[in-house]
């Protein structure tokens, strides 16, 4: 059975079905989910039928496409409705998006600007860890130090400003808004559920642990905490992918989702004012009016996802430099991506294809735009073809005038794993480079180029699928050392400047190349007979030798196997000594405290093991995850700057803490 063939099930339905099982059946739930996955599935309108055995049938009724009530899951076995089959089916099905907040209880930020973030529930947020559950003063100090260093501060925040002289107490400003008791209780439940997952790891976080997260997520959404609720759903989705050996699963993604969940839940109790609004998040607001826009095409990129979807995304820029996208992505894979590129854009009355729009222009009236820059195609939107602009002409030329270091820092601020989402910014960089040739790396071969200020930049293929042109075009460009190009790439956070190459100016003449769709020929190169050129080894960047990976490795190691993976490590003095020599004493302290917390198990007077301190371990892990992410982003920012200085990455540690000692 393919889980995608089952209708989505509301989180509260899954949680209720699992909670209704007896302790004996809960132990059998994971095995029942696996067994049910092998059964045949038949869909008839809104009803999906699963053959439990030759005589028993399980039904999921999904009016509107979602199983929204417990009564919509029925089973024909003798133990129904208290059987394990209903809960197993709900756990095997995809999780439906959380229901919108009640209209009569709008979030305090509902009256904010129309361009607010569309889906903060899945966004990342800065983590401020408060080790309230840590009782040991020494370890609490390490955790607090990590938190302050990761947020770029050296001391705890002081008291708020005093009332202005001459004002009576009655005239003083009202105190900033704080979370309600119900919201704090919901956040505590999310923290407890997330800490339990971290304690058990992927292997131990089965259907019962997932249902606890789903119940906490449902409660959080009812308490107007959509951001934390969305993070909990992301954790559940990734846990299911990991346990099903989904090839698209990445441990790093689950690390980020867990840290987002735990960090957001912890911040609810302490955040006030505008910070509280960011921590709460916003419900989905897909598109907002943006009046009339004059747009200029930049390029078109193919989009192929691990889930089997395919299509294209065309990037355009406004007269003021803002970036927008027009996309067409649906199930179909790489074949659909190549076909859609030559279909008409779904926007107004224009007959331009996506390829043509990447080099032409549009005049749009009644435009609607999502917070991440997607242009809406509603009935009220009118669009007609207009003249485009070359990359060397205004207004597009201005995109390349910002120094690369500033572009990288701006991109890191908007795409940071734990930054409070504001719905602005993109991950694109616009550079003028000189090609040097190919360089061999452990993960394959990439193209080396020299950017502004003499900074070497590694350019990689956006997709290795041979049906797309990325890989072949990159190999041909490696045969043209000395060629100067104007390029557009997507930033890859690394300790050295690195981009996925998406588009470039033509090597020998006017025009541009969409490197995923257009295929270069040897005749397009300045010297068609030149063989592939391999550039000499380049000196390492400021963070290439950073020992931060020693801490990152332990953070990631916890997720698959839980606390036990670190509790059995024993002495980590050698690793911490190396980290300190690299100029990261806080990272060394965090690694020591994290491993000590994992191994700590106290016994009572009779020698019996007491319950583990899951809260304390989760707090240390969260601080380590957040700190390592901040240092990584600071190292990336420093690598793009010819002087090696950090360009003020939001939430990052001071530059001195990020750079390894010489």
């Amino acid at each position: 059975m393919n889980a995608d063939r089952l209708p989505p099930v509301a989180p509260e339905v899954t949680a209720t079905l699992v909670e209704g099982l007896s302790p004996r059946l809960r132990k059998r739930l994971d095995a029942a989910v696996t067994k049910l996955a092998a059964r045949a599935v038949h869909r008839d309108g809104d009803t999906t039928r699963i053959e439990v055995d030759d005589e028993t049938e399980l039904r999921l009724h999904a009016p509107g496409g979602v199983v929204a009530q417990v009564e919509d899951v029925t089973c024909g076995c003798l133990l129904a409705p208290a059987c394990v089959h209903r809960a197993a089916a709900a756990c095997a099905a995809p999780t439906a998006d959380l229901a919108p907040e009640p209209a009569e209880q709008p979030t305090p930020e509902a009256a904010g600007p129309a361009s607010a973030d569309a889906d903060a529930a899945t966004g990342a947020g800065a983590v401020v860890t408060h080790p309230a559950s840590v009782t040991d003063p020494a370890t609490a100090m390490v955790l607090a130090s990590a938190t302050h260093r990761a947020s770029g501060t050296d001391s705890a925040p002081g008291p708020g400003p005093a009332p202005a002289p001459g004002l009576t107490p009655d005239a003083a400003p009202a105190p900033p808004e704080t979370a309600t008791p119900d919201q704090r209780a919901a956040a505590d439940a999310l923290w407890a559920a997330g800490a339990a997952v971290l304690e058990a790891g992927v292997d131990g976080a089965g259907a019962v642990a997932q249902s606890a997260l789903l119940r906490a997520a449902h409660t959080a959404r009812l308490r107007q905490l959509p951001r934390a609720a969305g993070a909990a759903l992301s954790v559940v989705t990734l846990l299911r992918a990991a346990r099903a050996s989904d090839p698209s699963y990445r441990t790093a993604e689950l690390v980020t989702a867990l840290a987002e969940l735990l960090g957001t839940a912890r911040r609810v109790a302490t955040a006030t004012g505008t910070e509280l609004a960011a921590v709460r998040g916003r419900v989905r607001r897909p598109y907002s009016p943006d009046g009339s826009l004059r747009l200029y095409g930049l390029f078109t990129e193919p989009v192929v996802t691990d889930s089997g979807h395919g299509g294209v995304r065309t990037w355009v820029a406004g007269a003021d430099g803002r970036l927008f996208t027009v996309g067409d992505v649906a199930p179909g894979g790489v074949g659909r991506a190549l076909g859609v590129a030559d279909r008409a854009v779904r926007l107004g009355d224009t007959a331009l294809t996506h390829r043509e729009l990447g080099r032409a222009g549009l005049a749009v009236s009644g435009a609607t735009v999502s917070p991440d820059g997607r242009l809406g195609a509603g009935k009220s939107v009118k669009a007609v073809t207009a003249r485009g602009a070359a990359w060397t002409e205004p207004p597009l030329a201005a995109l390349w005038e910002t120094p690369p270091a500033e572009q990288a820092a701006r991109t890191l601020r908007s795409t940071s794993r734990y930054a409070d989402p504001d719905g602005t910014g993109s991950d694109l960089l616009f550079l003028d480079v000189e090609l040097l040739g190919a360089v061999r790396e452990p993960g394959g071969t990439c193209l080396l180029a020299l950017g502004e200020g003499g900074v070497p930049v590694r350019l990689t293929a956006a997709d290795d699928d041979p049906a797309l042109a990325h890989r072949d075009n990159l190999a041909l460009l490696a045969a043209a050392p000395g060629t100067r190009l104007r390029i557009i790439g997507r930033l890859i956070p690394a300790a050295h400047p690195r981009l996925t190459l998406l588009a470039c100016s033509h090597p020998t003449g006017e025009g541009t190349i969409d490197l995923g769709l257009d295929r270069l020929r040897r005749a397009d190169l300045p010297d068609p007979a030149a063989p592939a050129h391999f550039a000499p080894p380049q000196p390492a960047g400021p963070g290439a030798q950073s020992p931060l990976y020693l801490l990152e490795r332990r953070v990631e190691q916890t997720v698959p196997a839980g606390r036990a993976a670190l509790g059995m490590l024993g002495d980590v003095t050698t690793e911490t000594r190396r980290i300190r020599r690299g100029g990261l004493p806080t990272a060394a302290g965090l690694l020591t405290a994290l491993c000590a917390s994992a191994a700590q198990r106290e016994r009572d007077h009779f020698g019996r093991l007491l319950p583990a301190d899951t809260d304390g371990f989760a707090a240390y892990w969260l601080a380590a995850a957040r700190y390592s992410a901040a240092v990584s982003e600071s190292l990336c920012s420093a690598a793009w700057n010819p002087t090696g200085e950090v360009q003020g990455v939001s939430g990052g540690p001071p530059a001195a803490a990020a750079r390894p000692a010489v």
Side-chain angles (χ1 to χ4, degrees):
M1 176 182 69
N2 188 339
D4 293 337
R5 296 183 60 190
L6 296 178
V9 178
E12 63 272 21
V13 172
T14 303
T16 301
L17 289 172
V18 173
E19 291 164 359
L21 295 177
S22 65
R24 180 180 64 85
L25 290 180
R26 287 192 185 189
K27 294 179 181 179
R28 296 172 50 190
L29 181 56
D30 290 326
V33 173
T34 303
K35 184 177 180 180
L36 204 64
R39 309 304 299 177
V41 177
H42 306 281
R43 193 172 265 200
D44 183 13
D46 291 337
T47 302
T48 300
R49 296 180 290 107
I50 306 173
E51 297 176 358
V52 177
D53 53 40
D54 294 339
E55 300 178 354
T56 306
E57 187 176 76
L58 184 67
R59 291 174 176 249
L60 288 82
H61 184 55
V66 175
V67 179
Q69 298 181 16
V70 174
E71 295 77 14
D72 291 336
V73 184
T74 58
C75 182
C77 73
L78 296 176
L79 295 178
C83 64
V84 74
H85 304 131
R86 299 170 70 218
C91 292
T95 301
D97 288 339
L98 291 165
E101 292 177 299
E104 66 274 15
Q105 295 179 339
T107 56
E109 62 274 15
S115 59
D117 186 41
D119 191 6
T122 57
V127 175
V128 180
T129 305
H130 301 276
S133 60
V134 182
T135 57
D136 178 59
T139 54
M141 184 178 298
V142 172
L143 184 57
S145 173
T147 302
H148 296 147
R149 292 282 292 277
S151 61
T153 60
D154 295 324
S155 60
L167 287 178
T168 64
D170 291 339
E177 182 186 11
T178 59
T180 66
D182 284 346
Q183 289 177 333
R184 295 184 183 185
D188 289 343
L190 284 170
W191 171 274
V197 168
L198 191 63
E199 176 78 15
V202 170
D203 295 339
V208 175
Q210 294 168 25
S211 71
L213 269 174
L214 293 176
R215 171 63 69 193
H218 175 62
T219 303
R221 174 51 72 94
L222 294 179
R223 301 293 182 265
Q224 289 80 55
L225 296 175
R227 177 176 172 181
L233 291 190
S234 296
V235 170
V236 171
T237 300
L238 290 168
L239 282 174
R240 290 178 176 177
R243 293 174 63 85
S245 300
D246 189 328
S248 65
Y249 166 76
R250 300 291 183 271
T251 300
E253 294 180 3
L254 184 51
V255 168
T256 300
L258 262 174
E260 162 70 2
L261 168 63
L262 293 171
T264 304
R266 180 55 61 89
R267 291 175 67 193
V268 169
T270 58
T272 59
T274 56
E275 182 189 359
L276 178 60
V279 171
R280 282 172 171 163
R282 294 185 174 94
V283 294
R284 283 193 174 97
R285 295 175 184 166
Y287 293 90
S288 58
D290 207 340
S292 298
L293 297 173
R294 179 66 169 90
L295 304 175
Y296 300 85
L298 280 167
F299 72 100
T300 300
E301 63 170 324
V303 178
V304 181
T305 69
D306 293 329
S307 61
H309 289 67
V312 294
R313 180 190 299 118
T314 299
W315 289 81
V316 297
D320 56 358
R322 286 190 297 161
L323 299 181
F324 304 91
T325 59
V326 182
D328 186 348
V329 180
V334 66
R336 187 179 189 279
L338 295 173
V340 169
D342 293 313
R343 294 183 187 176
V345 174
R346 299 174 182 175
L347 193 66
D349 300 325
T350 180
L352 290 174
T353 66
H354 281 274
R355 285 181 190 263
E356 294 169 341
L357 176 57
R359 296 170 175 83
L362 281 179
V364 183
S365 63
T368 57
V369 183
S370 72
D372 60 358
R374 288 174 294 167
L375 291 169
K379 295 181 180 180
S380 61
V381 178
K382 307 297 180 183
V384 295
T385 304
R387 177 185 175 277
W391 288 1
T392 55
E393 300 175 353
L396 299 185
L399 297 172
W400 280 264
E401 293 174 0
T402 304
E406 292 184 20
Q407 292 189 51
R410 180 181 61 202
T411 296
L412 285 169
R413 284 194 297 270
S414 63
T415 62
S416 173
R417 278 175 278 179
Y418 305 115
D420 286 333
D422 60 5
T424 60
S426 76
D427 54 1
L428 299 185
L429 266 64
F430 303 83
L431 307 177
D432 289 308
V433 300
E434 178 183 346
L435 302 183
L436 299 180
V439 290
R440 293 186 177 94
E441 294 184 327
T445 301
C446 65
L447 176 61
L448 189 67
L450 202 62
E452 183 179 322
V455 176
V457 181
R458 287 167 172 80
L459 307 175
T460 64
D463 197 309
D464 286 331
D465 194 311
L468 300 175
H470 291 293
R471 189 175 61 182
D472 294 339
N473 285 336
L474 205 69
L476 276 177
L477 290 174
T483 302
R484 296 193 61 83
L485 294 176
R486 178 158 280 193
I487 67 171
I488 302 176
R490 179 166 286 117
L491 177 69
I492 300 177
H496 51 262
R498 194 176 188 90
L499 297 176
T500 54
L501 190 56
L502 300 174
C504 69
S505 56
H506 197 283
T508 60
E510 296 182 357
T512 60
I513 302 294
D514 295 336
L515 290 167
L517 299 172
D518 304 328
R519 290 190 177 271
L520 288 168
R521 299 171 298 174
R522 287 203 171 271
D524 295 322
L525 303 181
D527 184 2
H533 175 78
F534 284 87
Q538 298 295 311
Q545 304 301 322
S546 171
L548 182 67
Y549 76 92
L550 295 171
L551 177 61
E552 293 175 324
R553 180 176 63 183
R554 300 310 181 192
V555 169
E556 284 202 8
Q557 188 177 0
T558 307
V559 171
R563 172 202 285 265
L566 296 188
M568 296 184 295
L569 284 179
D571 188 16
V572 292
T573 303
T574 302
E575 295 182 17
T576 56
R577 186 183 298 118
R578 183 176 176 185
I579 293 174
R580 290 183 188 279
R581 286 201 304 265
L584 297 171
T586 302
L590 276 171
L591 179 58
T592 300
L594 179 64
C595 293
S597 177
Q600 183 179 8
R601 289 298 302 271
E602 298 181 355
R603 297 179 180 270
D604 62 16
H605 296 296
F606 300 99
R608 296 171 297 191
L609 282 174
L610 295 174
D613 181 13
T614 58
D615 284 350
F617 178 71
Y620 282 114
W621 182 88
L622 174 60
R626 180 62 186 93
Y627 180 81
S628 60
V631 174
S632 295
E633 291 163 5
S634 294
L635 289 172
C636 179
S637 177
W640 281 93
N641 196 315
T643 64
E645 295 181 357
V646 180
Q647 292 290 311
V649 180
S650 177
R659 293 196 300 273
V662 179

